[in-house]
Amino acid sequence: MLTEPQKPPPAIIVENLDCGYDGRVVLNEISFTVERGEIFFVIGGSGCGKSTLLRHMIGLNRPMAGDVRFFGQSFVGADLEARRQLLKTFGVLYQSAALWSSLTLRENVALPLEEYSRLNRREIGELVTLKLAQVGLAGFDHYYPSEISGGMKKRAGLARALALDPAIVFFDEPSAGLDPITSREIDELVIKVRDTLGTTCVVVSHELDSIFRIGDRLIMLDKTERGIVASGRPGELRDSSQDPRVTAFLRTDREVRRKQP
């Protein structure tokens, strides 16, 4: 008797995750999944715990309880070597881009390759050139972060996040502080990364334009609830949710545009 092939696990499973600092719970029993190849948003008002959730998911802080699984493998419960291997499966674009100011863009992008790969110097150089070209920074290899714009810094940070060809990339407020045109360009880069590399993208953001332009699904966090108050497709939640907290957040942009002359 033939058996159906087993479906591969989602890219990410977050299971009953408690997040907090110094014994204080910020988020309680958070559970959701991110499917492979999705552009998945984590949204909510200021102070709701978006960045806190991200820090606990990528290992910068240890959860108070619960687990995070990448492609079916526990990250929280993994030993040191297993965690090191799992770290190679995802990259992170931090809100400030987090580039080393004393290093050129080439040197910044080379860092994870020098740390986690066995490539020689020539191979690393070729790969760095490729990654910078992928984000539209060909020819800027020897520039320092102080010599480029905020949008270009985000691009350079993304090139570094992509250095190891991760299966997942986390974006922490990628459009923060950028003008509308540059924000749209960053959104287009996220789509390009997903479509050309098959990368799963998790985006922490409160930018409604980006959420509706590129988001496949989202979860919305609430500060008072200390948890998830909505989950689904952005447009469907905006149009159909009965929760006033959700509609107040997601309909703001539409209502403002209606009132414009």
Side-chain angles (χ1 to χ4, degrees):
M1 182 178 178
L2 295 177
T3 59
E4 293 185 4
Q6 188 173 5
K7 182 181 178 181
I12 305 171
I13 300 175
V14 176
E15 188 174 46
N16 298 322
L17 201 68
D18 288 355
C19 307
Y21 308 98
D22 301 322
R24 181 175 68 89
V25 177
V26 176
L27 294 169
N28 186 45
E29 294 189 353
I30 299 294
S31 296
F32 61 93
T33 63
V34 181
E35 299 298 333
R36 299 173 186 233
E38 274 196 308
I39 299 178
F40 185 93
F41 273 77
V42 178
I43 71 169
S46 298
C48 70
K50 299 187 299 293
S51 292
T52 294
L53 175 60
L54 176 63
R55 292 179 63 87
H56 285 73
M57 288 177 67
I58 65 177
L60 293 179
N61 294 94
R62 188 168 185 84
M64 303 170 73
D67 197 8
V68 179
R69 298 180 182 273
F70 294 109
F71 302 103
Q73 185 173 352
S74 172
F75 185 60
V76 174
D79 60 30
L80 188 61
E81 179 55 29
R83 282 174 71 89
R84 181 179 173 85
Q85 293 303 315
L86 282 170
L87 284 170
K88 296 180 184 180
T89 68
F90 61 82
V92 184
L93 173 57
Y94 296 97
Q95 183 172 339
S96 62
L99 299 172
W100 291 94
S101 60
S102 60
L103 301 180
T104 65
L105 301 191
R106 170 174 286 273
E107 291 167 336
N108 268 282
V109 177
L111 282 175
L113 293 165
E114 293 169 347
E115 175 70 19
Y116 290 107
S117 79
R118 295 182 179 180
L119 300 176
N120 60 42
R121 188 172 182 179
R122 178 185 60 80
E123 291 169 331
I124 288 176
E126 291 174 350
L127 195 51
V128 168
T129 298
L130 173 63
K131 295 303 177 183
L132 287 171
Q134 283 180 337
V135 299
L137 290 177
F140 287 87
D141 307 43
H142 300 294
Y143 280 66
Y144 286 89
S146 61
E147 299 175 320
I148 60 176
S149 68
M152 294 171 74
K153 289 177 184 176
K154 292 290 180 75
R155 289 174 178 269
L158 179 55
R160 186 179 59 189
L162 294 173
L164 294 169
D165 293 327
I168 304 168
V169 177
F170 293 92
F171 299 80
D172 187 8
E173 299 284 5
S175 299
L178 302 180
D179 62 83
I181 293 176
T182 305
S183 295
R184 181 180 288 272
E185 291 174 348
I186 295 298
D187 286 346
E188 290 170 353
L189 261 181
V190 175
I191 293 175
K192 179 182 177 182
V193 167
R194 191 271 305 274
D195 290 349
T196 60
L197 304 176
T199 308
T200 301
C201 301
V202 178
V203 187
V204 171
S205 180
H206 64 274
E207 300 287 343
L208 291 179
D209 282 341
S210 295
I211 292 165
F212 290 118
R213 187 157 50 225
I214 67 172
D216 292 318
R217 287 193 304 126
L218 63 79
I219 56 169
M220 180 175 173
L221 304 179
D222 180 76
K223 183 178 181 178
T224 303
E225 290 290 334
R226 297 183 181 180
I228 298 171
V229 293
S231 175
R233 296 187 178 280
E236 292 176 0
L237 288 173
R238 178 194 59 200
D239 298 336
S240 304
S241 176
Q242 300 302 307
D243 190 323
R245 296 167 298 187
V246 178
T247 55
F249 188 96
L250 291 177
R251 292 181 185 176
T252 300
D253 183 62
R254 184 172 63 175
E255 296 304 321
V256 167
R257 291 185 179 182
R258 279 180 177 174
K259 296 176 183 177
Q260 289 178 344

